Amino acid sequence: MKILILGAGKMGKFLCDLLSFNHEVAIFDTATEKLRFTFNALRFSELEEVKDFAPDLVINAATLKYVKDAFEAVLPYLPKEAILSDIASVKTGLPEFYAGCGHRFVSTHPMFGPTFASLSNLQNENAIIISEGDEAGKQFFRDLYAALRLHVEEFSFKEHDETIAYSLSIPFASTLVFASVMKHQSAPGTTFKRHMDIARGLMSEDDFLLSEILFNPHTPEQLDRILDRLSALREIVERRDPAEMKQYLDKVRSNLE
């Protein structure tokens, strides 16, 4: 299969390295310096090169802010039968784009990233495939994710957004609140240092990505849940109630099982 990858960021290069052993792969990025250490693949910086390549599958790995722009730019240079795909962590606007693009499509979300995951060992990671996509495209990603030993779930676009609001918005918001009230510690404990590592990793992400994940329309209800449990904890601490604290901790342990 001839595969075009849009974007030579960390995920784009990861997919390029992964797929180039079994497919004819080209990677496109207008920032030519990002293509410098890409091997075993064609390197494109001009859209005319895409036209000559005539890919069967396009994987859009552009920065979230530019996903739709990248699709719009490349569309005139693609054969009609090419399948479009994205790996975006936020699907806002993509169902509408795909409905009007005139191409078959498949949308997935690898639930890991280069900041925290070990890209050489992904057997404990997850991926989501959007159910509305083209069956051939979905099968391609099922096979790819199976080879990586990922656990795969199939959700609709709506279910995906609801899941992301829970699995990303809650830890993102919690980490942001922790980091927003922290101050320098001359002798930090182990737990504090671990939280700091998570916070530094999160804050190394693109601001647009963080904003778009938190702007998910399902995020406010998850923030309400955080506020509710934080308020309950505050009341228990103020009353110094050992029995209620025990119940609270037991509930937390139960959630972790």
Side-chain angles (χ1 to χ4, degrees), residues 8 13 27 29 31-40 43:
K13 287 181 178 178
I27 185 165
D29 202 301
T32 55
E33 66 274 10
K34 292 183 178 181
L35 301 171
R36 187 175 302 165
F37 300 109
T38 302
F39 301 103
N40 203 32
R43 291 175 282 183

Side-chain angles (χ1 to χ4, degrees), residues 51-77:
K51 185 175 182 180
D52 294 336
F53 182 63
D56 304 300
L57 173 69
V58 178
I59 302 177
N60 192 332
T63 303
L64 181 61
K65 183 178 181 180
Y66 300 110
V67 168
K68 284 186 282 186
D69 289 342
F71 271 143
E72 295 286 1
V74 79
L75 274 179
Y77 301 89

